[in-house]
Amino acid sequence: MPELPDVEVFRQYMEATSLHKKITGVEVENERVLQDITPSGLGQKLKGRLFERTRRHGKHMFACADGEFWVMFHFGMTGFFKYFKNEEDKPPHARVLFHFDNGFCLAYDSQRMLGKIRIVEDAGDFIRQNELGQDALGLSWDAFQNRMHGRRGTVKTALMNQSLMAGIGNIYSDEILFQTGIHPKTQMNNLNEGLLKKMHEHMQRVLKTAVDKKADPEEFPDDFLVPHRGSGNKCPRCGGEIKKVKVNNRGTYFCPQCQPSPHS
DNA sequence: AGTACCACCTGACGGC
DNA sequence: TGCCGTCAGGTGGTAC
């Protein structure tokens, strides 16, 4: 689930539920999701502290504990948060639980455990060390053009490259290409500046819309691909059939009529 | 600089 | 019913 819009919604959710409450303990149900820290180490670091603010960069989010250090959350393909009180509301694959003094608890759920939690001293250092590009949401045209210009390879690969800009994944790259009317296998060096500019505009609109709609596809505008993303489904623009191809080994959906092949 | 493929994991689904 | 391959919105490493 988690690309930039989803992670932004998780961040807002954590802000709304889990700030300024004393952490009474941390329960680790599977330490595979912890990076560079043990379950007891995480508990010792956080016990008695408060999460006081959050930030997000691309698909990563950070929660600051007492202004001292940050907890980094990455959600992999299946991660999310759930704030709850009663045991029956605990999500099915809760891996780490942050207990608060009001009796509530924030669960980090990760079915496939491809996500990670770690302690970092400084979020900015983490972003630099991991060579993440600027956040895609609100990225200026100049910065976008600067990073994309002169690339080879396919457009979709470039959009998903986290070192060029951070936050776009498999689903939203398909949406941006659909909105722009570009075939996902188009080579970067076949894009003129006008198309690149259009792609940037659609990217901003898609991301902003998705965040506004809480990343819920059911709330997306009628002409978005995401709710119709599946082979055999109908294109929301032309009614044609949505096709599936592989780009860099990732399932990629597009409309052959609205996104004509670069070779024809 | 790019791409292909594997690995890390669990679980849902369709075919036989 | 059970087994098996395939696929799923993540990233990282390696070989070409």
Side-chain angles (χ1 to χ4, degrees):
Chain A
M1 186 203 284
E3 298 181 34
L4 186 154
D6 312 276
V7 177
E8 176 59 20
V9 173
F10 298 162
R11 191 193 68 75
Q12 292 171 8
Y13 181 79
M14 185 166 179
E15 286 257 336
T17 59
S18 305
L19 297 194
H20 317 306
K21 298 173 173 77
K22 186 171 280 188
I23 300 166
T24 55
V26 180
E27 215 179 326
V28 177
E29 303 212 339
N30 194 317
E31 61 183 290
R32 200 181 287 274
V33 300
L34 298 187
Q35 206 168 39
D36 300 333
I37 194 158
T38 60
S40 59
L42 184 66
Q44 282 165 24
K45 274 227 131 192
L46 286 171
K47 196 168 180 181
R49 296 192 185 275
L50 289 71
F51 289 126
E52 61 173 27
R53 61 200 169 98
T54 62
R55 66 175 281 195
R56 180 193 57 73
H57 186 93
K59 304 174 192 173
H60 296 265
M61 75 155 276
F62 308 85
C64 190
D66 281 355
E68 295 286 325
F69 56 87
W70 297 78
V71 181
M72 186 286 289
F73 297 96
H74 185 263
F75 298 92
M77 289 176 90
T78 56
F80 63 92
F81 283 140
K82 171 102 182 253
Y83 182 73
F84 70 99
K85 185 167 194 174
N86 302 317
E87 191 66 15
E88 71 245 36
D89 297 321
K90 181 173 159 180
H93 311 286
R95 307 302 189 192
V96 178
L97 301 131
F98 302 89
H99 292 276
F100 302 111
D101 63 358
N102 63 354
F104 278 77
C105 165
L106 180 72
Y108 168 86
D109 185 296
S110 182
Q111 183 198 115
R112 291 172 64 187
M113 297 186 292
L114 298 175
K116 285 282 174 279
I117 294 177
R118 65 183 289 177
I119 300 290
V120 298
E121 292 309 312
D122 182 79
D125 286 347
F126 175 87
I127 291 161
R128 279 184 290 278
Q129 283 157 14
N130 286 272
E131 296 179 339
L132 298 172
Q134 289 181 52
D135 192 66
L137 183 61
L139 183 70
S140 72
W141 158 243
D142 280 351
F144 179 76
Q145 186 190 30
N146 189 278
R147 303 304 274 152
M148 305 299 270
H149 182 75
R151 295 237 115 217
R152 292 181 288 144
T154 65
V155 214
K156 170 150 168 156
T157 310
L159 284 174
M160 288 177 63
N161 185 331
Q162 301 300 300
S163 68
L164 297 180
M165 59 179 178
I168 310 290
N170 200 32
I171 291 282
Y172 286 97
S173 59
D174 280 5
E175 185 66 62
I176 292 161
L177 292 169
F178 175 74
Q179 293 296 325
T180 317
I182 296 177
H183 190 285
K185 286 192 174 176
T186 305
Q187 296 291 309
M188 282 302 294
N189 55 20
N190 288 341
L191 283 188
N192 59 34
E193 184 169 322
L195 262 183
L196 203 58
K197 184 103 169 71
K198 274 194 173 159
M199 188 159 77
H200 173 259
E201 289 165 7
H202 285 296
M203 175 177 88
Q204 292 310 324
R205 183 174 58 84
V206 164
L207 293 177
K208 188 172 183 311
T209 304
V211 171
D212 286 349
K213 302 299 182 188
K214 303 289 177 207
D216 178 0
E218 291 190 8
E219 301 295 323
F220 286 2
D222 293 338
D223 68 344
F224 268 41
L225 173 68
V226 175
H228 311 275
R229 198 172 170 280
S231 33
N233 287 351
K234 295 269 188 286
C235 168
R237 284 266 166 83
C238 74
E241 196 174 322
I242 298 298
K243 294 274 192 235
K244 179 181 183 182
V245 289
K246 284 218 173 207
V247 177
N248 273 3
N249 242 3
R250 305 298 304 273
T252 298
Y253 296 90
F254 73 107
C255 170
Q257 299 199 60
C258 301
Q259 298 163 264
S261 165
H263 309 297
S264 65

